[in-house]
Amino acid sequence: MEGFIHSTESFGTVDGPGIRFVIFFQGCPMRCLYCHNPDTWKIGTGTKRTVESLLVEYDSVKEFMKNGGITCTGGEPLVQIDFVTELFEKAKEKGIHTCLDSSGITFTPDSTEKFERLCKCTDLVMLDIKHIDDEQHKILTGQTNKNIFDMAEYLSETGKPVWIRHVLVPERSDKDEYLHRLHDFIETLDNVEKVEVLPYHTLGVYKWKELGIPYQLEGIDPPSQERVENANRILETAKYHA
């Protein structure tokens, strides 16, 4: 099977536990205003790779993957769910830890057959919750957040280990009201091992300019350390069930 891959990284340290081989998938239905990889948006483009070629590449650097494994991110890897599933199934045959970094935007609770198969060979899901408020989520990403919360609840019901990731964006998601609501939602889940607050940054703005896409968060600076600490204080009170 072939998939459309944007790129790979052989020494990922922020994409799951340990040192990881990170595969960036091409294609994403979200249009996050702060996206630092807008070059991964277009579906059906990128470099065609086979599962076998990616595992061979992993094998070439596996000596450095201390306490790590493979992480599939994007773009949105669930756009190519069949490819990710085959990759993870073959990775598990080799004893490799597998991690899915996803926004959950493609998840539908009335059609979980493919997702169930993927979950069986996925050790950890890093679920990106962009915004707790649906209307604000639509403004920030161009999509509803209902699918994301459905996926979070499904993962909780099935007991799949999850890390919640939340990008803190000044003037968008960095309000105590929103953070408390996110905290309250996390409290309803029984499988959350960690919550990571990711400060908004502007390192990918140059890609927007190269692609000729107007950057709509121009003038918004990264959050202060005080606001990051505030978000961590609010969210860290969630009861984790690891």
Side-chain angles (χ1 to χ4, degrees):
M1 182 179 292
E2 290 183 326
F4 292 100
I5 305 301
H6 174 270
S7 57
T8 61
E9 180 183 342
S10 59
F11 202 82
T13 59
V14 294
D15 301 280
I19 299 171
R20 309 191 67 81
F21 180 65
V22 185
I23 303 169
F24 294 86
F25 278 68
Q26 185 71 29
C28 183
M30 304 269 270
R31 292 295 180 266
C32 299
L33 298 184
Y34 55 79
C35 180
H36 56 275
N37 289 319
D39 46 334
T40 66
W41 286 350
K42 192 172 181 181
I43 295 173
T45 62
T47 302
K48 282 188 177 181
R49 296 287 301 271
T50 63
V51 166
E52 290 73 20
S53 74
L54 289 169
L55 291 175
V56 166
E57 187 177 347
Y58 170 85
D59 284 340
S60 71
V61 296
K62 66 180 180 181
E63 293 182 4
F64 304 100
M65 302 293 108
K66 295 181 180 179
N67 301 313
I70 292 176
T71 296
C72 288
T73 183
E76 172 50 64
L78 290 182
V79 170
Q80 302 181 67
I81 188 171
D82 294 334
F83 186 83
V84 178
T85 301
E86 183 174 314
L87 172 65
F88 276 7
E89 286 177 342
K90 292 189 174 180
K92 293 311 300 175
E93 290 174 4
K94 297 165 69 72
I96 302 170
H97 183 276
T98 56
C99 175
L100 175 70
D101 180 12
S102 172
S103 71
I105 193 62
T106 66
F107 180 83
T108 52
D110 57 346
S111 180
T112 61
E113 184 177 346
K114 285 187 176 183
F115 194 73
E116 288 174 2
R117 181 182 166 190
L118 174 59
C119 280
K120 289 178 181 178
C121 53
T122 301
D123 293 310
L124 173 68
V125 176
M126 293 195 299
L127 182 62
D128 303 317
I129 297 183
K130 315 291 186 179
H131 207 298
I132 191 66
D133 185 86
D134 190 41
E135 290 306 312
Q136 290 299 318
H137 192 278
K138 291 174 184 175
I139 294 171
L140 191 62
T141 73
Q143 299 280 356
T144 180
N145 62 16
K146 297 186 183 304
N147 309 55
I148 298 165
F149 294 127
D150 285 341
M151 178 169 163
E153 290 167 353
Y154 174 86
L155 292 170
S156 178
E157 291 168 3
T158 57
K160 181 60 59 179
V162 163
W163 291 5
I164 300 291
R165 300 180 121 189
H166 180 64
V167 178
L168 191 68
V169 187
E171 302 180 32
R172 296 298 186 274
S173 61
D174 183 15
K175 291 184 179 180
D176 285 5
E177 172 201 346
Y178 298 144
L179 294 169
H180 282 291
R181 286 170 60 187
L182 178 57
H183 161 268
D184 291 346
F185 174 72
I186 294 171
E187 285 281 281
T188 69
L189 307 175
D190 295 321
N191 59 336
V192 178
E193 295 184 346
K194 179 190 279 190
V195 175
E196 294 184 321
V197 174
L198 307 178
Y200 161 76
H201 63 74
T202 58
L203 299 179
V205 174
Y206 75 94
K207 293 184 180 181
W208 291 68
K209 294 179 180 177
E210 288 179 350
L211 294 169
I213 307 173
Y215 190 69
Q216 297 183 46
L217 298 184
E218 197 76 48
I220 294 181
D221 295 324
S224 66
Q225 185 61 33
E226 180 182 0
R227 290 304 298 173
V228 174
E229 292 173 356
N230 175 71
N232 277 312
R233 278 195 302 271
I234 292 173
L235 296 179
E236 72 182 358
T237 59
K239 57 179 189 297
Y240 305 142
H241 303 266

